[in-house]
Amino acid sequence: MQIADKYSPQHIEAKWYDYWIDNRLFHSEPDAREPYTIVIPPPNVTGMLHMGHMLNNTLQDVLMRRARMSGKNACWVPGMDHASIATEAKVVAMLHEQGIEKSQLTREEFLKYAWEWKEKYGGVILKQLRKLGASCDWERTCFTMDDERTESVLRVFCDLYEKGKIYRGVRMVNWDPAAQTALSDEEVVFKESHGKLYYLRYKIEGTDRNIIVATTRPETILGDTALCVNPNDERYKDLPTDARVIVPLVGRSIPVIRDTYVDIEFGTGALKVTPAHDVNDYMLGEKYGLESIDIFNDDGTINDKVGMYVGQDRFDVRKQIEKDLAAADLLEKTEEYTNNVGYSERTGVAIEPKLSMQWFLSMQELAKPATKAVMEDAIRFVPEKYKNTYRHWMENIKDWCISRQLWWGQRIPAYYLPKGGFVVALTAEEALEKARAKSGDASLQISDLRQDEDVLDTWFSSWLWPISVFDGIRNPGNKEISYYYPTNDLVTGPDIIFFWVARMIMAGYEYLNEKPFANVYFTGIVRDKIGRKMSKQLGNSPDPLDLIEQYGADGVRIAMLMSSSAGNDVMFDEALCEQGRNFGNKIWNAYRLVNGWSVDATIAQSENNRLAVAWFEQTLGRALREVAEDFKSYRISEACMTIYKLFWDEFSGLYLEMVKPAYGQPLDAATMTATREFFDALMRMLHPFMPFVTEEIWQAIAPREAGASICVAAMPEPIAEDITILARFELAHEVISAVRNIRNQKNLPQKEALTLQVIADENYPLEYAPVIAKMANLTAIETVTEKDPAAAAFIVKTTQYCVPMAGKIDVEAEIKKLTEDLTYYEGFLASVMKKLSNERFVQSAPEKVVANERAKQADAEAKIAALRAQLEALK
């Protein structure tokens, strides 16, 4: 079958993707085959395709397509994450543009807008993944907030509450004033921040003395309820045990407490204690029964509890309070200071430690089997270096704050009774039954109960993802969960190892007593060619869809794979996309070349062609075995390069040149059949990496049935290994390369036939003489006992070869060139001998250095001898 003259990815990619979808080639149902399952890390419903997605999904697709072609029942489940904080922020912004504020809406009204936004804008990224060639089972697309997943999440909440693992309480949490919600510790990113250290004067009651206290957050003096010093600090030994100090500006009298927690070396050794706004102060407050005064509103402005700076933003207050302290002579000094400050991973604002009533999940028991699974390699991390990161976090795990003060998400199924207390239930009807039983009041109605306003952390739905996509929570032991779970591979970034990977493992053991996946492949961060992380802010992140439009999806996939290996950052260079497209062009033109050869069924296969076919069968087999080993070790980039070199260097550069018929001449049928079979096998090997161009050519190679596709064609199997063929051909290849080098050195045209002389021994590949003669354009290969001194000579292994030069070169020019070379090497030898004749150098220099100089001497002497012999012969 003919293909177009020019390779144009844009003309073939959409065509074949539609063909795959129309023929349901990506759809999976449980059957008798071995399953191979991947669940996609669900991108945010707000998301657009970026370079990180390109890398992650290319790798997943390679694994999926290879499994499908290996006879497995491959199932790649796609889906989206409802992304509570990000989505709610998008909807609030959209409403603000329309002149509507969230505060003006009821919960139901807001959620109506949110669902409308999701239906209109959400899921763009899944459509974009099709352009990349992602072979997901789109019929299985899930959403973390659809009915099935929501019911699964609520069932798990109720179950863990009944088990005593979920509890509610006032705790110090990470508060995001922009999103106005609590965050878990994992959602806080610490960054180096430049600020000041403020030295404040706290007057000791009944004296003229001051205690100087250093703080980075002077605005929190509004919530100070004690001052703490170390009992071993000599500077404060004379303070009475009942000493009190006055909070600057505020005028509040607070006790001086003593605790070894205070670092004597830091600042002045005195610490202001604000239990409502610092984790460590909170612990001191608990220990000494101190009052907690929460001075902030949820949006980070000052509340009216103290009556100062009411309604002002916390950072504006910091600037103003510095001026006010200085004016009141209560500011000793300020110093420039750099410290680590926690920021919200989602909104980028500084976190405010805040006492808040929240829901928590106790993690210690859940973590035990999950830690063991990874440390004992029941779940394999690639690369292994992340095991220690994982273990450290799991062994120091804290309880998970799972409540969020948002409306978009799964609402916590806790219902408050009119006279106090609450019940946890899957539905309002079930909650009413429990409430009546708990209160003893049979007259209670649903309208008397108030459901908790908070929603669950988004990760509380995605931690169930490998189970919930197969309905394993609502219907344990169903046909699908029994067949597809545990999944095989998870491809993800190490940045969500705690957010998601660890929690999925915990959920897997808690609910199915089984790991959720066998292997976790960690990708690196995509960086530009000078090592900077790609980001919109830096403007160094290309739009993946623009790259696909310009270079084709196959070209971009090759670029991603060439620049990545497990766990290592990806140095992406757009030039690699061009290299990828050029590879597609190489494949295209190689097929057109082969397809243009005529065949004569009456002619016998030449010995040259027979040898070429036998050699490439072995070369293909070796590559197939190497690729299989690479996949076992998740060396996906290396597997890609092996096939790239196989096609470019060995198939196109050698095999096709070996069998190419002379201009206008036909090829024998046996060689043409073998060549087409090789092309077919190469397309199947390459298909997981470059799905589109390989489908186009595979369809053209031979007649195919309707609905047939390379997607489900079997991966080729290697022929039985014969290392002798490969080793003997390698000798022949070296001979061919050496003759070609002589042509280049002596400026002899390729079309001018030469004679090759050989002093044969056991390393002379006599059987490959026809191949050597054709590829090196030789009229004859003569066996001799002595080499012609005037001939251009070379050695391969132990075999000596030479190409007679009589009448083929300009003798004068050659003498001039050889004389120049001789002068250079004699000068080089003199400089080496100068070093070696220096006794001090020979005795004091490292043995390795001296040995290296002696090797240079021997090499130079051999070259000088050869040059002199050649000059003698020419004269």
Side-chain angles (χ1 to χ4, degrees), residues 611-716:
L611 289 163
V613 168
W615 165 73
F616 193 73
E617 274 179 335
Q618 285 299 322
T619 303
L620 179 68
R622 178 179 61 190
L624 282 164
R625 279 183 281 271
E626 282 177 17
V627 167
E629 285 304 308
D630 283 336
F631 269 96
K632 276 183 197 170
S633 303
Y634 292 86
R635 294 191 300 266
I636 299 170
S637 181
E638 288 84 343
C640 179
M641 281 308 300
T642 296
I643 303 170
Y644 180 95
K645 288 174 181 170
L646 173 70
F647 190 93
W648 195 293
D649 298 338
E650 286 147 328
F651 182 68
S652 295
L654 283 173
Y655 174 78
L656 292 184
E657 290 300 315
M658 286 156 72
V659 301
K660 183 167 71 174
Y663 182 74
Q665 295 300 307
L667 186 66
D668 67 271
T671 304
M672 186 55 140
T673 299
T675 304
R676 285 187 170 277
E677 285 172 357
F678 291 152
F679 224 117
D680 189 305
L682 287 162
M683 292 305 94
R684 283 178 285 146
M685 276 183 89
L686 195 53
H687 177 73
F689 304 93
M690 300 180 82
F692 295 106
V693 69
T694 52
E695 180 76 83
E696 176 81 9
I697 288 173
W698 184 84
Q699 294 281 354
I701 286 170
R704 308 292 182 192
E705 293 177 7
S709 171
I710 193 171
C711 287
V712 287
M715 195 56 72

Side-chain angles (χ1 to χ4, degrees), residues 797-851:
K797 212 161 185 181
T798 58
T799 313
Q800 296 184 64
Y801 297 87
C802 59
V803 178
M805 291 284 112
K808 297 188 183 296
I809 57 169
D810 180 336
V811 175
E812 278 187 30
E814 187 67 11
I815 287 172
K816 187 183 175 193
K817 183 181 178 301
L818 291 172
T819 304
E820 285 171 358
D821 287 350
L822 180 62
T823 303
Y824 167 78
Y825 280 108
E826 283 175 339
F828 177 76
L829 178 61
S831 69
V832 172
M833 294 312 295
K834 191 175 176 184
K835 271 188 189 178
L836 290 172
S837 62
N838 182 336
E839 277 187 43
R840 222 170 91 192
F841 169 77
V842 174
Q843 286 170 8
S844 60
E847 201 175 312
K848 210 173 178 181
V849 172
V850 176

Side-chain angles (χ1 to χ4, degrees), residues 232-467:
N232 302 316
D233 194 331
E234 293 296 330
R235 290 170 291 185
Y236 304 110
K237 286 281 190 186
D238 62 336
L239 275 179
T241 52
D242 59 351
R244 297 179 74 83
V245 294
I246 306 297
V247 179
L249 292 182
V250 181
R252 181 186 305 128
S253 172
I254 58 173
V256 176
I257 60 173
R258 290 159 176 80
D259 196 284
T260 52
Y261 164 74
V262 180
D263 181 359
I264 295 173
E265 301 301 320
F266 179 77
T268 62
L271 177 79
K272 62 191 274 311
V273 183
T274 318
H277 298 292
D278 182 275
V279 175
N280 298 311
D281 291 9
Y282 173 69
M283 291 190 288
L284 284 171
E286 291 280 286
K287 187 172 178 181
Y288 294 100
L290 302 175
E291 181 187 3
S292 281
I293 304 171
D294 185 348
I295 64 167
F296 290 118
N297 294 314
D298 287 350
D299 62 357
T301 57
I302 304 296
N303 61 31
D304 59 3
K305 286 187 182 172
V306 183
M308 299 171 72
Y309 308 106
V310 177
Q312 294 182 44
D313 181 77
R314 55 188 170 149
F315 295 116
D316 293 338
V317 173
R318 184 174 298 177
K319 292 173 189 169
Q320 185 58 46
I321 213 164
E322 181 183 359
K323 294 174 187 171
D324 295 346
L325 285 162
D329 199 27
L330 294 168
L331 182 64
E332 180 84 4
K333 62 176 178 175
T334 63
E335 292 174 352
E336 293 301 311
Y337 188 69
T338 301
N339 65 336
N340 277 335
V341 174
Y343 290 84
S344 166
E345 187 241 358
R346 284 280 176 226
T347 64
V349 303
I351 288 303
E352 199 58 61
K354 180 179 168 75
L355 276 177
S356 181
M357 177 67 80
Q358 301 290 341
W359 292 88
F360 296 87
L361 174 57
S362 177
M363 301 297 278
Q364 280 73 21
E365 289 304 311
L366 290 170
K368 285 177 185 173
T371 308
K372 186 180 178 195
V374 172
M375 297 321 293
E376 294 183 359
D377 292 326
I379 296 171
R380 179 179 164 209
F381 279 9
V382 180
E384 273 201 354
K385 65 182 179 182
Y386 290 110
K387 279 173 70 173
N388 285 332
T389 312
Y390 177 87
R391 178 182 56 79
H392 177 74
W393 186 75
M394 294 292 270
E395 287 176 355
N396 296 280
I397 199 163
K398 294 178 183 172
D399 288 355
W400 176 11
C401 176
I402 56 173
S403 46
R404 298 290 179 271
Q405 289 62 57
L406 302 165
W407 282 351
W408 177 250
Q410 279 106 1
R411 194 171 177 182
I412 289 175
Y415 297 81
Y416 299 95
L417 280 61
K419 293 181 180 176
F422 64 87
V423 293
V424 169
L426 187 62
T427 63
E429 292 72 24
E430 190 185 321
L432 180 61
E433 280 182 38
K434 288 186 172 183
R436 285 173 175 172
K438 185 169 185 172
S439 65
D441 183 353
S443 68
L444 277 179
Q445 299 301 311
I446 286 178
S447 57
D448 296 323
L449 304 179
R450 179 179 60 83
Q451 188 175 353
D452 197 300
E453 292 291 322
D454 292 352
V455 297
L456 287 158
D457 179 8
T458 304
W459 296 105
F460 196 84
S461 45
S462 45
W463 80 317
L464 304 174
W465 190 242
I467 306 172

Side-chain angles (χ1 to χ4, degrees), residues 7-13 51 54 131 542-559 572-585 690 692-693:
Y7 171 55
S8 172
Q10 293 74 17
H11 289 140
I12 64 171
E13 292 183 351
M51 296 305 286
M54 291 285 281
K131 295 267 188 194
D543 183 331
L545 295 178
D546 290 347
L547 292 176
I548 289 172
E549 181 61 32
Q550 188 174 354
Y551 301 104
D554 285 338
V556 179
R557 287 167 69 114
I558 288 293
F572 182 80
D573 183 350
E574 199 169 316
L576 290 169
C577 293
E578 195 166 347
Q579 189 178 340
R581 185 188 58 194
N582 290 347
F583 185 39
N585 200 51
M690 300 180 82
F692 295 106
V693 69

Side-chain angles (χ1 to χ4, degrees), residues 95-339:
L95 291 171
H96 182 73
E97 285 176 12
Q98 297 173 17
I100 304 168
E101 297 304 320
K102 180 185 172 186
S103 56
Q104 298 168 348
L105 301 174
T106 65
R107 187 185 198 109
E108 289 68 30
E109 287 167 340
F110 178 82
L111 287 174
K112 184 171 175 287
Y113 281 115
W115 279 106
E116 284 172 4
W117 184 93
K118 183 260 175 190
E119 293 308 318
K120 188 172 180 180
Y121 300 106
V124 170
I125 191 167
L126 295 187
K127 294 185 182 77
Q128 293 173 327
L129 283 175
R130 295 170 184 240
K131 295 267 188 194
L132 182 65
S135 60
C136 299
D137 185 348
W138 299 109
E139 296 173 44
R140 291 182 172 274
T141 303
C142 297
F143 178 48
T144 53
M145 228 170 101
D146 61 25
D147 291 344
E148 293 86 346
R149 261 48 62 185
T150 292
E151 186 185 330
S152 299
V153 167
L154 298 181
R155 282 185 181 278
V156 164
F157 182 94
C158 295
D159 175 65
L160 291 170
Y161 176 77
E162 293 298 329
K163 289 173 178 172
K165 290 179 178 172
I166 284 179
Y167 62 92
R168 183 171 180 260
V170 175
R171 297 287 187 279
M172 182 66 68
V173 296
N174 306 297
W175 187 262
D176 180 338
Q180 295 188 35
T181 180
L183 302 176
S184 68
D185 290 346
E186 291 70 45
E187 292 166 293
V188 179
V189 179
F190 283 90
K191 300 179 195 170
E192 200 172 76
S193 297
H194 303 289
K196 291 181 184 177
L197 201 52
Y198 302 81
Y199 288 80
L200 313 184
R201 293 177 179 144
Y202 286 69
K203 188 181 178 190
I204 302 170
E205 256 187 2
T207 75
D208 293 330
R209 280 180 64 194
N210 290 313
I211 294 179
I212 308 300
V213 176
T215 179
T216 56
R217 305 173 69 214
E219 67 278 10
T220 61
I221 61 172
L222 302 177
D224 284 359
T225 56
L227 187 143
C228 190
V229 297
N230 192 307
N232 302 316
D233 194 331
E234 293 296 330
R235 290 170 291 185
Y236 304 110
K237 286 281 190 186
D238 62 336
L239 275 179
T241 52
D242 59 351
R244 297 179 74 83
V245 294
I246 306 297
V247 179
L249 292 182
V250 181
R252 181 186 305 128
S253 172
I254 58 173
V256 176
I257 60 173
R258 290 159 176 80
D259 196 284
T260 52
Y261 164 74
V262 180
D263 181 359
I264 295 173
E265 301 301 320
F266 179 77
T268 62
L271 177 79
K272 62 191 274 311
V273 183
T274 318
H277 298 292
D278 182 275
V279 175
N280 298 311
D281 291 9
Y282 173 69
M283 291 190 288
L284 284 171
E286 291 280 286
K287 187 172 178 181
Y288 294 100
L290 302 175
E291 181 187 3
S292 281
I293 304 171
D294 185 348
I295 64 167
F296 290 118
N297 294 314
D298 287 350
D299 62 357
T301 57
I302 304 296
N303 61 31
D304 59 3
K305 286 187 182 172
V306 183
M308 299 171 72
Y309 308 106
V310 177
Q312 294 182 44
D313 181 77
R314 55 188 170 149
F315 295 116
D316 293 338
V317 173
R318 184 174 298 177
K319 292 173 189 169
Q320 185 58 46
I321 213 164
E322 181 183 359
K323 294 174 187 171
D324 295 346
L325 285 162
D329 199 27
L330 294 168
L331 182 64
E332 180 84 4
K333 62 176 178 175
T334 63
E335 292 174 352
E336 293 301 311
Y337 188 69
T338 301
N339 65 336

